[in-house]
Amino acid sequence: MPKQTVTRTAATRATTLILAAVVLWTAPWAGPAAAAEPQGIEQLAPELRDKARQILSIANERQRAAELKNLARSEKRSRPYLHWVYDNDTSAVVRSALLPLLVKQDDPSTRAFVQRVVDKERDPLIVASALATLHELSTLDTARRLEQRIEQAQKAGDMATVRALAPEQERWLTQRGGTALPGFLRTPPPVFAAGTRVAGSRSIRVLAFGDFGNGSPDQKRAAAAMMKFNQRSRFDIGITMGDNFYSEGLNRPDEPRWKTEWEDLYSPLKIVFYPSLGNHDWNDPDSPAAEILYTQRSKTWRLVSPYYTFTAGQAQFFALDTDAVSVAQLLWLQDELKKSQARWKIVYGHHPIYSYGRHGDTEPLIKKVLPLIENVADIYICGHEHDLQHLRSDGKLQLFISGGGGANIRPVDTGPRTVWAKSAHAFTVLDIDKESLRVRFVDTNLATLHEHTITTRIAAAP
């Protein structure tokens, strides 16, 4: 199972825009010379070498780019071959697709490659994408250096220095993709109550889903199913697990898609949603700020900062920004969990901790977030994988992936931590009272696919 690293790549964002502009037509074949033996092909698995040669003969440049991307996903040793293709393929569409595949933050050759793209590339839009990548690499390096300095202070017990430097590290992490999210928008407010109707309730019902905002028929069918369920069993509040809008987020709070892909579909539920951000919401540098500021325009959307906490009924919810887990966010989470007096603690964000989907485990979350919540919180619910999963941790924490909100679904595997898994469009229902926390996956036909209940003993009155 491949291990996932959390990253928002400026090259990926810019490349998507390039492809949108360039691939409106299919150009004549402009691949590398078929007679030349591609360099690096000998490093591929033997069964893939003929395929790698055949890809170069594909006349349709979009299809050629797609096959190269599939090869890159299936073969870790493909980089030398892909470098050769980049240098020899005359199609800007193919080179645009290859650029993000050849950018690896932990590879020392990456910076030299991107600098060479800036110096030698013929297409000015790809040059702009490469420049954005150089910016990202530089700011990420600064953030990492700050993190190392913070770790030194932690080991020395100098928490004053840790807390003083943590906001600076978060600022650099925020800027690495070109985003300029001001401090007042990324600072979480104090814990707040979700609303008077549910604040002191003995029981509440919560709607949860992720990976949805693309305007597709599948998103609309899922939203319609939520409405039918709500008519039978009313929801009190909602939460989202990110990728609220594909593929670049929304870069203005007055973007027309707010109406067609949010308000028209979810406002009829007449509940307030408390969203989290996904990697696609970070792809446009202005999208995080736009999604936060839209809170002032909507009665149903309340995103107050990239990470925050609130109470509802017997539970306290902790929304995380898992796209870039800063030291400041980790300190905040640790502090807020310690202060919480809620019977149930529910943590949610976009990326999975463990997963048997296409992306696999998220190592930064395993290393940094899991130790803080594994024996403190009751459930962690997320998206990113376009599937449904229920997994076990090594502690009391139960893990749920709810990525069937409307984007294309993907196959899902099982593993040692699997309790249940399925690939389907669906949403999640949380029923919470003093005695129990029930989690249900419900599909677009309103069938319950899987449910799990956590119970707690309440001491008898003297």
Side-chain angles (χ1 to χ4, degrees):
M1 180 60 63
K3 302 299 180 183
Q4 171 194 349
T5 55
V6 181
T7 178
R8 50 179 175 269
T9 306
T12 302
R13 183 185 68 246
T15 299
T16 303
L17 296 175
I18 295 167
L19 286 173
V22 176
V23 303
L24 294 176
W25 70 92
T26 301
W29 178 75
E37 177 73 349
Q39 294 179 11
I41 202 168
E42 71 283 353
Q43 297 187 32
L44 301 177
E47 64 272 16
L48 292 176
R49 293 172 188 172
D50 285 342
K51 179 180 177 64
R53 295 184 184 97
Q54 292 168 3
I55 290 173
L56 303 182
S57 66
I58 296 174
N60 185 300
E61 58 187 355
R62 285 187 288 179
Q63 184 181 352
R64 194 161 72 248
E67 291 297 329
L68 288 166
K69 291 169 71 174
N70 289 335
L71 179 67
R73 292 192 187 103
S74 62
E75 175 57 273
K76 294 181 179 179
R77 297 169 292 180
S78 62
R79 293 193 75 205
Y81 163 77
L82 295 176
H83 271 288
W84 183 89
V85 175
Y86 186 97
D87 290 336
N88 289 274
D89 200 305
T90 59
S91 166
V93 171
V94 173
R95 296 197 307 278
S96 295
L98 287 178
L99 180 58
L101 300 177
L102 293 170
V103 173
K104 277 194 169 184
Q105 294 170 341
D106 57 353
D107 190 316
S109 67
T110 290
R111 191 180 295 272
F113 164 70
V114 178
Q115 289 174 339
R116 181 164 59 85
V117 171
V118 173
D119 294 339
K120 305 292 187 180
E121 172 58 49
R122 301 178 294 280
D123 190 296
L125 293 177
I126 302 179
V127 173
S129 178
L131 286 169
T133 301
L134 281 179
H135 168 78
E136 178 172 7
L137 293 171
S138 297
T139 52
L140 182 59
D141 181 63
T142 301
R144 284 175 172 170
R145 288 177 181 273
L146 263 175
E147 186 172 10
Q148 292 171 357
R149 178 67 179 84
I150 290 169
E151 288 175 354
Q152 292 175 2
Q154 285 176 321
K155 291 178 180 178
D158 184 3
M159 292 307 296
T161 296
V162 170
R163 292 186 178 275
L165 291 178
E168 289 300 306
Q169 187 246 4
E170 183 173 80
R171 180 168 66 89
W172 284 103
L173 278 177
T174 300
Q175 291 181 355
R176 65 178 180 162
T179 304
L181 192 63
F184 68 86
L185 288 184
R186 67 173 187 266
T187 302
V191 58
F192 59 89
T196 55
R197 189 167 66 87
V198 298
S201 300
R202 292 179 58 86
S203 64
I204 61 170
R205 178 168 292 120
V206 182
L207 169 61
F209 57 92
D211 305 287
F212 57 97
N214 58 6
S216 67
D218 288 326
Q219 182 190 6
K220 294 173 182 177
R221 277 193 291 269
M226 297 171 198
M227 176 57 66
K228 289 181 181 178
F229 188 99
N230 187 61
Q231 290 169 351
R232 301 179 186 180
S233 303
R234 182 167 170 73
F235 294 114
D236 294 295
I237 62 170
I239 60 176
T240 80
M241 272 61 70
D243 281 3
N244 306 309
F245 299 99
Y246 288 93
S247 62
E248 311 295 330
L250 295 183
N251 60 13
R252 303 196 320 268
D254 60 351
E255 162 67 46
R257 289 176 61 196
W258 278 111
K259 180 179 186 303
T260 58
E261 294 175 25
W262 179 260
E263 299 293 351
D264 289 351
L265 298 180
Y266 308 110
S267 287
L269 293 165
K270 299 187 184 304
I271 60 173
V272 177
F273 283 85
Y274 299 87
S276 63
L277 296 170
N279 54 297
H280 282 273
D281 300 301
W282 279 100
N283 275 350
D284 187 287
D286 294 333
S287 181
E291 292 192 38
I292 292 171
L293 292 175
Y294 187 70
T295 298
Q296 301 172 9
R297 294 170 172 257
S298 175
K299 295 180 179 179
T300 61
W301 176 278
R302 189 173 185 187
L303 177 63
V304 295
S305 64
Y307 54 91
Y308 58 98
T309 181
F310 64 93
T311 59
Q314 305 298 315
Q316 184 166 347
F317 293 79
F318 303 82
L320 302 185
D321 173 19
T322 60
D323 201 55
V325 182
S326 64
V327 173
Q329 183 175 184
L330 293 171
L331 290 171
W332 167 87
L333 178 60
Q334 186 176 38
D335 291 345
E336 294 299 327
L337 284 170
K338 285 182 179 179
K339 292 187 291 186
S340 176
Q341 299 297 313
R343 184 172 299 282
W344 303 104
K345 298 175 180 62
I346 298 169
V347 182
Y348 66 101
H350 183 61
H351 294 85
I353 296 175
Y354 297 115
S355 171
Y356 299 105
R358 190 178 86 174
H359 294 290
D361 299 346
T362 308
E363 295 293 349
L365 298 187
I366 294 173
K367 179 182 177 181
K368 299 176 181 180
V369 173
L370 184 60
L372 300 181
I373 68 175
E374 189 167 32
N375 290 300
V376 179
D378 299 285
I379 69 170
Y380 175 75
I381 183 167
C382 64
H384 195 51
E385 302 284 25
H386 295 187
D387 58 43
L388 312 170
Q389 297 183 57
H390 174 195
L391 306 122
R392 305 179 188 89
S393 73
D394 293 329
K396 77 168 188 172
L397 185 72
Q398 297 289 313
L399 308 166
F400 298 91
I401 298 175
S402 182
N408 58 303
I409 55 176
R410 300 171 182 147
V412 60
D413 206 344
T414 59
R417 296 186 181 278
T418 300
V419 177
W420 176 86
K422 187 177 180 65
S423 179
H425 285 109
F427 54 93
T428 303
V429 180
L430 309 178
D431 290 299
I432 306 169
D433 59 30
K434 286 186 177 181
E435 291 79 22
S436 64
L437 192 171
R438 180 171 64 154
V439 182
R440 287 182 282 169
F441 289 107
V442 179
D443 71 9
T444 54
N445 295 317
L446 302 190
T448 297
L449 303 175
H450 172 72
E451 69 175 79
H452 178 79
T453 301
I454 306 171
T455 59
T456 183
R457 294 183 178 179
I458 300 177

